[in-house]
Amino acid sequence: MSDSAPATPSATPSASASVPPPRRARVRAPELIGKGGWLNTGGDQLTLADLRGKIVLLDFWTFCCVNCLHVLDELRELEEKHRDTLVIVGVHSPKFVHEAEHQAVVDAVERYGVHHPVLDDPELATWKQYAVRAWPTLVVIDPEGYVVAQHAGEGHANALRMLVEELEAEHEAKGTLRRGDGPYVAPEPVATGLRFPGKAVLLPSGNLLVSDTTRHQLVELAADGETVVRRIGEGVFREPQGLAALPDGRVVVADTVHHALRVLDPETGAVERVAGTGRQWWQGSPTSGPALEVDLSSPWDVAWWQGRVWIAMAGVHQLWTYDPATGTVEVAAGTTNEGLVDGPAAEAWFSQPSGLAATEDRLWVADSESSALRWIERDGDGYAVRTAVGTGLFDFGHRDGPAGQALFQHPLGVTALPDGSVAVSDTYNHALRRFDPASGEVTTLATDLREPSDAVLVDGDIVVVESARHRLTRLRLPEEAVRVEAVAHRTRREATGIAPGTLRLDVVFRAPTGQKLDERYGPSTRLLVSSTPPELLLGGEGKGTDLFRELALNPEVTEGVLHVSAMAASCDDDPANEYPACHVHQQDWGVPVKITETGATRLPLILAGLDA
């Protein structure tokens, strides 16, 4: 569910990766089934028969996944340009328990501006029918109802555009293309003062500044947390999230979908961009330099700590910093690999960091996809990353007690409390939790909060951003924790059965029509493999440039997770063009596996194309 990691070229690319694509296979598309029913159709229940004659693009997504949100944005231009021939259907396939709730999907469709039909598939029925293994995955169905392509991850917009144009021409000639309006029906708008607010910060005046995410604005509220004083930044922001006060009284804003940082002067209302270009960061782009010249990727929160602005760079699973004194940005922690690995900052792995809170000696991090609370601290001349609560990508729940066995569910916010503990906005548990470093205990402070995404201290109380109730809620900090029934979960994805011994891993990639692998400066494909627990693999882990790998499995480990990151770069195949347009295709897979005598000896993961 994330970008792939850089790898050191060490071999030539897989020969199969550069073979010209064969004629498209004719595979009948399975029916679209989801217990949650359909959204954005005016109440109609769609079938593939209803869509015959249209090019159908299935987008398998889940709303916790920042890479899925990137793909939603990537598809908007394609959707608009080909609206009379192309129907995009979002198939919502949940990772977390909360994401299986129908109202949560309804909220997410509005929150992220999804303007096409969405099938709510809480039991992953359609996911299984299409053998999907990663979020996001895109499947193209031709006007006659056959699957013709599959892509995983980000960066496929150009390939999809070319394929759609090819299918339009082919089926126009055959008489099997049906032009006209699609089945999308916009829902009725709802009037509220805030709409899916993200984060909040206390201003020196005593008022509250809130990122009104879905309305793409900042809103200043009076001290009561309800009365609107002013709205700021119309036409400037796009889904803003994090806010942090600077020492000079200004406020830095994570302008998330614009991939930028902006600074607001509360006195004048002036807003200026201070970091980011507006383009999304991709592998191979600079990771440091003049702040206005370096790309960022979905900055989700910001905090002032140790003389710099720290950035939770959710889109690439890292922490970055912005130094206002020098006007520069740089990576501070994380490798871009998605997972939970502690240690020196440059070697640590994060999983969509989404909330930050600074104390004198620690920067706390809400690491949402691993349902973890982590921190970064000074370690000699550098920094180190530690984990307080959380074990990995697929374990989550609502369980209090010692930190080693406590569980969160996709927390998006963390707030430093006066006694040295921290409050965690435990978003998908609809709760406010507390971790006390002194005792090592996790407790629950409040429940019945709808998707809390942040909290701020005000006069001894704590004001919670209830994102899905579109409001701020003021709570007394309780002296005693709320008691809740402990519950633990694992992801709803079924483990893939694999046979003991040796497993052949194949990442399937075929360059789009009219393109070829870009080998002008060395290998254009990269592959990184690891496992949880590390003992699952006796051989085959590490970096390389072939898109296949022989993995030696440990007979003493019966289950685990294979982590696979792949990237391929393709360029327009036009000898007359000295500077052909190039495109990066990348995806991370976390594949739960179970060792069984009847399991598979080959694991295909489709980056782009169809598995022959």
Side-chain angles (χ1 to χ4, degrees):
M1 290 169 51
S2 66
D3 299 313
S4 65
T8 303
S10 60
T12 57
S14 163
S16 64
S18 57
V19 172
R23 185 173 180 177
R24 290 192 300 270
R26 300 281 284 177
V27 179
R28 177 65 70 178
E31 189 54 82
L32 305 178
I33 303 168
K35 189 175 181 180
W38 288 89
L39 306 176
N40 285 354
T41 63
D44 291 343
Q45 303 298 303
L46 297 183
T47 66
L48 284 177
D50 299 326
L51 302 175
R52 196 62 47 81
K54 297 286 190 181
I55 302 163
V56 179
L57 174 57
L58 303 182
D59 176 14
F60 289 87
W61 69 299
T62 188
F63 63 78
C64 71
C65 163
V66 70
N67 309 96
C68 299
L69 305 185
H70 291 167
V71 167
L72 283 174
D73 291 329
E74 286 181 2
L75 294 178
R76 295 188 197 281
E77 182 179 349
L78 181 73
E79 187 170 30
E80 179 61 29
K81 183 177 180 180
H82 298 275
R83 62 190 313 162
D84 67 330
T85 60
L86 172 68
V87 175
I88 297 179
V89 173
V91 182
H92 188 269
S93 312
K95 170 185 174 180
F96 291 99
V97 169
H98 170 59
E99 293 176 302
E101 296 177 16
H102 182 69
Q103 185 58 47
V105 181
V106 173
D107 289 343
V109 167
E110 179 189 349
R111 182 195 297 262
Y112 297 117
V114 180
H115 297 151
H116 49 249
V118 173
L119 175 65
D120 180 11
D121 182 18
E123 297 178 345
L124 303 182
T126 297
W127 165 288
K128 295 171 187 174
Q129 286 292 312
Y130 282 82
V132 175
R133 295 186 185 276
W135 299 274
T137 289
L138 302 166
V139 176
V140 180
I141 301 171
D142 73 13
E144 295 179 288
Y146 291 92
V147 174
V148 293
Q150 184 168 325
H151 303 264
E154 303 179 49
H156 302 293
N158 184 67
L160 291 168
R161 175 186 61 79
M162 295 172 64
L163 178 57
V164 167
E165 291 173 356
E166 182 182 338
L167 290 171
E168 283 178 342
E170 177 184 334
H171 288 274
E172 189 95 78
K174 290 176 66 174
T176 51
L177 185 70
R178 176 166 56 90
R179 293 184 179 270
D181 291 339
Y184 170 68
V185 178
E188 290 293 324
V190 181
T192 55
L194 300 172
R195 204 69 192 163
F196 298 104
K199 308 283 186 180
V201 68
L202 183 65
L203 297 174
S205 65
N207 289 352
L208 290 155
L209 186 68
V210 184
S211 54
D212 197 16
T213 302
T214 299
R215 293 208 176 109
H216 315 295
Q217 295 178 337
L218 307 182
V219 177
E220 183 178 345
L221 300 176
D224 62 9
E226 297 179 10
T227 305
V228 174
V229 175
R230 58 176 169 164
R231 296 182 180 274
I232 303 166
E234 183 176 0
V236 174
F237 299 106
R238 188 158 174 213
E239 295 184 24
Q241 288 283 348
L243 306 167
L246 297 175
D248 62 7
R250 297 185 301 162
V251 176
V252 63
V253 184
D255 193 3
T256 304
V257 175
H258 276 150
H259 309 295
L261 298 188
R262 300 184 193 274
V263 166
L264 163 71
D265 184 340
E267 294 294 325
T268 65
V271 178
E272 64 172 323
R273 179 170 55 90
V274 296
T277 63
R279 298 184 300 269
Q280 182 184 340
W281 186 94
W282 286 94
Q283 293 291 346
S285 301
T287 56
S288 64
L292 290 171
E293 299 175 14
V294 177
D295 299 341
L296 307 181
S297 182
S298 297
W300 210 273
D301 203 6
V302 283
W304 179 258
W305 189 56
Q306 299 198 346
R308 289 178 290 170
V309 174
W310 288 69
I311 310 164
M313 202 74 78
V316 286
H317 316 295
Q318 291 179 313
L319 302 183
W320 288 41
T321 60
Y322 161 63
D323 186 345
T326 61
T328 57
V329 294
E330 63 180 353
V331 174
T335 65
T336 75
N337 297 325
E338 183 179 16
L340 195 155
V341 177
D342 289 342
E347 301 172 14
W349 292 22
F350 290 95
S351 302
Q352 214 168 295
S354 302
L356 300 174
T359 62
E360 184 176 351
D361 59 347
R362 290 183 179 184
L363 180 69
W364 293 95
V365 183
D367 207 22
S368 62
E369 275 299 293
S370 56
S371 298
L373 173 64
R374 308 175 74 184
W375 80 87
I376 186 168
E377 63 185 5
R378 278 285 186 186
D379 184 24
D381 294 333
Y383 293 95
V385 176
R386 317 290 187 204
T387 298
V389 180
T391 59
L393 288 169
F394 300 109
D395 294 294
F396 52 89
H398 191 157
R399 186 162 64 197
D400 288 337
Q405 55 90 53
L407 294 171
F408 297 130
Q409 187 181 179
H410 198 79
L412 290 178
V414 59
T415 307
L417 300 179
D419 63 357
S421 66
V422 291
V424 177
S425 295
D426 193 7
T427 309
Y428 288 1
N429 279 327
H430 311 298
L432 189 68
R433 313 283 293 284
R434 175 178 177 265
F435 170 67
D436 183 359
S439 67
E441 292 283 321
V442 174
T443 53
T444 297
L445 298 176
T447 56
D448 192 29
L449 300 166
R450 188 69 183 171
E451 291 191 19
S453 54
D454 196 21
V456 59
L457 289 174
V458 180
D459 298 330
D461 294 338
I462 192 162
V463 175
V464 180
V465 180
E466 276 198 273
S467 188
R469 282 199 178 116
H470 319 292
R471 71 186 188 191
L472 303 188
T473 298
R474 192 174 185 122
L475 302 172
R476 294 284 181 189
L477 278 173
E479 295 182 4
E480 294 185 1
V482 176
R483 293 190 178 277
V484 296
E485 183 177 351
V487 59
H489 300 289
R490 283 186 63 81
T491 180
R492 289 170 174 250
R493 292 176 59 187
E494 292 182 357
T496 298
I498 58 177
T502 300
L503 177 70
R504 165 81 179 204
L505 171 67
D506 281 318
V507 174
V508 178
F509 176 78
R510 296 195 177 276
T513 302
Q515 293 184 19
K516 64 179 181 179
L517 290 177
D518 177 21
E519 299 178 346
R520 291 171 297 165
Y521 308 108
S524 60
T525 54
R526 297 174 180 173
L527 183 65
L528 173 67
V529 179
S530 62
S531 65
T532 303
E535 296 77 20
L536 175 64
L537 291 179
L538 294 178
E541 69 276 15
K543 302 175 182 178
T545 55
D546 288 334
L547 290 181
F548 61 88
R549 190 78 61 83
E550 296 288 339
L551 306 181
L553 304 172
N554 187 343
E556 297 181 3
V557 179
T558 58
E559 62 180 20
V561 178
L562 291 175
H563 303 283
V564 181
S565 295
M567 187 199 78
S570 61
C571 295
D572 293 346
D573 189 7
D574 182 1
N577 186 353
E578 184 178 358
Y579 302 104
C582 297
H583 309 275
V584 176
H585 315 263
Q586 54 191 31
Q587 173 64 0
D588 280 8
W589 291 267
V591 183
V593 295
K594 179 172 58 179
I595 310 301
T596 172
E597 292 294 336
T598 58
T601 57
R602 175 178 178 265
L603 178 62
L605 300 176
I606 296 177
L607 180 59
L610 292 174
D611 183 22

